[in-house]
């Protein structure tokens, strides 16, 4: 069982659909993150949760809605997305103080918006 | 505002060569710096983490150095192998923020 698991690995959706990305970590970490990776651009931090509380919302459009029901699970709810939202969405976690801990990433969810 | 730059963007070397990847950052007030490896279509794997008080970290054939005052880090790969082919990214955690800032990466290809 890998440390950070993301599902689905691939998702195709229309602009009017509603879907969710799921992330689960089996490492006992306290902090979880959503990152967006687009072609030719650096990874962009979207959201940070520490002990299930959101501590960072990096000016992300409201069509992306995160949810962290417990320290092991993180969701990204998607609705009325745009084609430019097509990207690889990566979940990560870290232990203890998220300022100094190693980041552990999942394999990512490749999202295509038609 | 922290900016992270990685040069070169792509690098192709024959197997067995020692090589150096570069990472520079504009704000030296950092907590730590991490080097990651990413295989095509996959997530990132943390290779080395250097705290701001440290000068270098080593793991196997990898050695990462940090010079905060000049805003630079290098990743040294000894005796490169085809399995080292991947994109290497560096990321800095800047004091006063909650985030890592990533570079755009160096795409490495090691030829057999």
């Amino acid at each position: 069982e890998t440390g950070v698991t993301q599902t689905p690995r691939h998702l195709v959706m229309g602009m009017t659909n509603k879907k969710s990305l799921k992330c689960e970590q089996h490492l006992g970490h306290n902090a979880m993150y959503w990152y967006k990776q687009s072609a030719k651009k650096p990874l962009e931090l979207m959201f940070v949760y520490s002990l299930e509380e959101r501590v960072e919302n990096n000016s992300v459009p409201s069509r992306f809605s995160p949810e962290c029901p417990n320290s092991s699970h993180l969701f990204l709810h998607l609705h009325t997305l745009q084609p430019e939202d097509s990207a690889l969405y990566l979940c990560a976690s870290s232990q203890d103080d998220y300022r100094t801990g190693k980041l552990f990433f999942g394999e990512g969810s490749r999202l295509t918006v038609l | 505002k922290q900016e992270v730059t990685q040069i070169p963007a792509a690098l192709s070397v024959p197997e067995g060569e020692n090589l150096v990847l570069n990472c520079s950052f504009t704000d030296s007030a950092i907590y730590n710096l991490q080097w990651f490896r990413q295989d095509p279509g996959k997530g990132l794997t943390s290779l080395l983490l250097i705290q701001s008080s440290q000068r270098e970290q080593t793991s196997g054939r990898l050695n990462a150095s940090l010079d905060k005052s000049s805003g630079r880090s290098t990743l040294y790969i000894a005796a490169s192998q085809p399995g080292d082919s991947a994109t290497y990214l560096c990321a800095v955690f800047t004091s006063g923020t909650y985030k890592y800032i990533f570079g755009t990466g160096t795409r490495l290809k090691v030829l057999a």
Side-chain angles (χ1 to χ4, degrees):
Chain A
E1 196 172 60
T2 57
V4 181
T5 305
Q6 289 187 243
T7 54
R9 292 294 314 280
H10 300 274
L11 178 63
V12 180
M13 59 187 290
M15 290 193 285
T16 58
N17 291 158
K18 288 185 180 181
K19 298 285 185 182
S20 296
L21 306 180
K22 179 183 175 182
C23 176
E24 184 174 1
Q25 58 99 357
H26 311 278
L27 301 168
H29 289 170
N30 295 325
M32 296 187 76
Y33 313 76
W34 280 115
Y35 283 87
K36 176 183 179 182
Q37 187 175 36
S38 306
K40 310 287 187 190
K41 293 176 68 175
L43 264 76
E44 301 172 61
L45 178 66
M46 300 176 73
F47 301 103
V48 180
Y49 277 82
S50 177
L51 295 172
E52 301 150 46
E53 288 193 25
R54 190 190 309 178
V55 296
E56 178 80 12
N57 178 352
N58 207 33
S59 301
V60 179
S62 59
R63 57 186 184 268
F64 295 92
S65 175
E67 178 189 1
C68 187
N70 55 61
S71 60
S72 299
H73 293 86
L74 185 65
F75 295 89
L76 188 63
H77 302 301
L78 317 169
H79 62 96
T80 59
L81 294 190
Q82 305 297 312
E84 59 265 29
D85 296 323
S86 298
L88 182 67
Y89 288 84
L90 291 162
C91 174
S93 68
S94 66
Q95 188 174 13
D96 299 327
D97 188 337
Y98 52 87
R99 294 172 297 177
T100 56
K102 271 193 176 184
L103 282 179
F104 291 79
F105 281 85
E107 296 279 271
S109 293
R110 171 71 62 186
L111 173 66
T112 303
V113 182
L114 301 176
Chain B
K1 179 188 170 188
Q2 179 74 273
E3 292 182 5
V4 180
T5 305
Q6 291 186 248
I7 294 173
L11 182 63
S12 197
V13 300
E15 182 177 6
E17 258 197 28
N18 302 324
L19 56 99
V20 174
L21 307 181
N22 298 295
C23 173
S24 60
F25 47 94
T26 54
D27 184 349
S28 61
I30 64 171
Y31 279 119
N32 65 52
L33 181 146
Q34 285 195 56
W35 282 95
F36 295 88
R37 169 189 173 134
Q38 185 176 29
D39 292 293
K42 299 290 184 71
L44 282 68
T45 300
S46 181
L47 298 172
L48 291 164
L49 181 150
I50 311 178
Q51 301 290 353
S52 61
S53 58
Q54 297 174 322
R55 298 280 296 184
E56 65 178 332
Q57 281 287 320
T58 298
S59 176
R61 293 184 293 108
L62 305 179
N63 176 277
S65 67
L66 174 64
D67 183 342
K68 271 192 359 175
S69 60
S70 66
R72 295 179 62 185
S73 176
T74 61
L75 179 67
Y76 175 83
I77 302 177
S80 58
Q81 303 169 359
D84 295 329
S85 299
T87 296
Y88 291 81
L89 299 105
C90 72
V92 297
F93 202 113
T94 306
S95 303
T97 74
Y98 293 98
K99 60 180 78 172
Y100 278 96
I101 303 297
F102 281 79
T104 49
T106 294
R107 192 171 64 255
L108 172 67
K109 187 167 185 179
V110 181
L111 305 170

